[in-house]
Amino acid sequence: MTEPVVVADRETSPAPDAPARPSRQIAGRALAALPWLVVLALLPVAWWRVGVGVHDIAGYVAYWAGALVLPGTLVHRALRGSRGNLPEDLGFGAATGLVLELAAWALAAATGQQHLLRWWAAPVVLLFLAVPRLRRHWRIERRSPLPLAWHVAMAAVLLLVLAWAAVQWPGNPVPPSADHTYYPDLFYHLSLVQELTRDMPFVLPHVAGEPLRYHYLSDAHMASASMITGSSPALVLLRLWLVPVAATAVLVSAGVARDLSRVWWTGPVVAAVTYLGLPVALGSALTDAAGVLSVASPSQTYVLALFVVLVGLCLDAVRGRALGPGWALVPAFGLACAGSKSSALPALLAGLLITAAVTGWRRRRVPWPTVVALALLLVATAVGYRLFAGGGAGTLRVQVFGLLRFMLPYGQTFGGSDGTRAGGLAPPGLAAGGWPAGLFAGGILGWWLLMQAPRLAGTLLLFSRRHRADPATWLLSGTVLAGVGATWVFHHPSASQVYFWLAVLPIGVLLSGHLLAATRPRWPVLAVGALAGVAVALAVPKAGNPAASLRGWWGRWRRRRDGSRRWCCSRAYSVSWSLSCCVTGTAVGGGRRRWRRPPRRSSRPASRSASRGRCRRRCGCATPGPRWPACRPRRATRATCSPERRRGPPSGSTRTPPPPTSSPPTCTADRCGRRGTATPARSG
């Protein structure tokens, strides 16, 4: 009697070096932890060098770890699960801890129990210790370790953020300091921090009896930190809070980028470009040096981590991934964003609305997860408008090209006589200048878009048929374009409409990182492009301001006799060289694009061997099959084909082969186009 033959698809016996595997894992974890330990060691040193006392440093480190990161990580794991690695868990946990802290602060301020605020995390920690079902969230159940290069790159980005903050700190000494002029908004935020340590209802610090109407939740975070640690509000505002909040934004941006593109290297790239990159000015006198991190605007920096986490939740919702208990985070983060920066949510609401409309039209059914997310954020926006709206946001008005009034070329030409006049739908100088003013404004807008090209390039995914079917592309593109449109459609006396753009800037970089992952450029292409950008930034000289007139600025863009010919030539050379590098990189890396077009069909009938080769590449079996367009999707699961079809019967088997038939056998792959009865290869 013949014994049955068991055919295994993969080997189950342990590898010869299995006993040495735990030691290698320990060594790998130690190497991965080393870059993070360097960052954690240098941060207190940087604080100490700018005059922060050892007691304040120790208190703030203990506050951030025990009152924010620990409870936030436990709650985020309970609602969303672990991400499989500790750095991302701690980053998303810190963002969740910021939201939980705001709830605890509001409860303490409403009841007058601010002295109990420092113990708000204790009930959360005790709950996760006492409930057996919650104890598993103290550890990572299913590890999904990231490469060592990811840890090194992320630590390098955080060190650069720390270096940027260390450069900013000496410019804002901690009061009392003699003969120093502070940015006016810093004094306003310092007064708000002092006010938010008191009981509700809050009033304007500089106007007695006037209710406080402002997005002040960033100041509420600093007030909570001051009450918990005992450090002075000025020390928290000017020294302690910036780097931990910025580091949280870096980690969550890298995590959302990895979720979006499914490639680990997009995380460090997106984090570096978002929080360290500047626009491509090419030495022009018309530049935009505004970065997404800001010392002068704490609300802008504080909202970044919260907004990126909220966008990540919306990405999972529009893609149909189950959020489960994580749905509770959507309105919580939405309300926190509405109270932190009023310019954050409108663009995301527009992106969700566009996504719901496009997805519903393409699929001919209501995309309920997208609709639910949109409804929750609308409720959060309405509540935030009721609680926080007012102040400077009340002076926002519609005026197309209103941002031009704060740009030097327009101010020295057509807008020289605008002054404080409000104007109508267009700035007064632009409305009175006729078509030359419109042409001039269009040139400035085009140059601004060119400077922001690295942040806007991801919208090119809308021209890919495969990515147009992904709701995430519509959500991110709609959010970015809505932010750009609001920046150029509205006018604010202090140019605060630019915060619409700064709010969506991380989202634009996320989309650009997704574009890089989709096109899969080769590493040499990325290296050459990065070196070319650095060379252009260093080699191209900075141009001085021209004469304060239309002829002066127009002459800078044409050729003049006073040396501007060389300036224009160098500018044209740098622009053409940069564009040629981009075109070359696209051509070289385009061979590995996932969304290239299928090959053109031939008029001659396909041979049997060619068909067999096509199907073998698609599903792994040797069955004759049709050409590419009929064998979809392109990557089929090899496990769906039987082992005999893939590599023949095993040695020693007595199983007899099937009798020959007149027609070729049928491929059994579930995802192959050769289902049902086998047919001869079709032509083309």
Side-chain angles (χ1 to χ4, degrees), residues 1 77-78 88 155 189 195 236 238 366 384 444 489 501 576 629 668:
M1 182 176 181
R77 284 177 177 177
E88 288 186 348
H189 284 284
E195 174 64 25
V236 175
L238 299 176
V366 178
I444 296 177
V489 166
W501 163 242
S576 61
T668 59

Side-chain angles (χ1 to χ4, degrees), residues 607-626:
S607 63
R608 182 186 179 98
S609 60
S611 278
R612 182 182 294 111
R614 290 282 183 179
C615 197
R616 182 185 294 115
R617 284 197 292 270
R618 297 296 167 228
C619 65
C621 69
T623 305

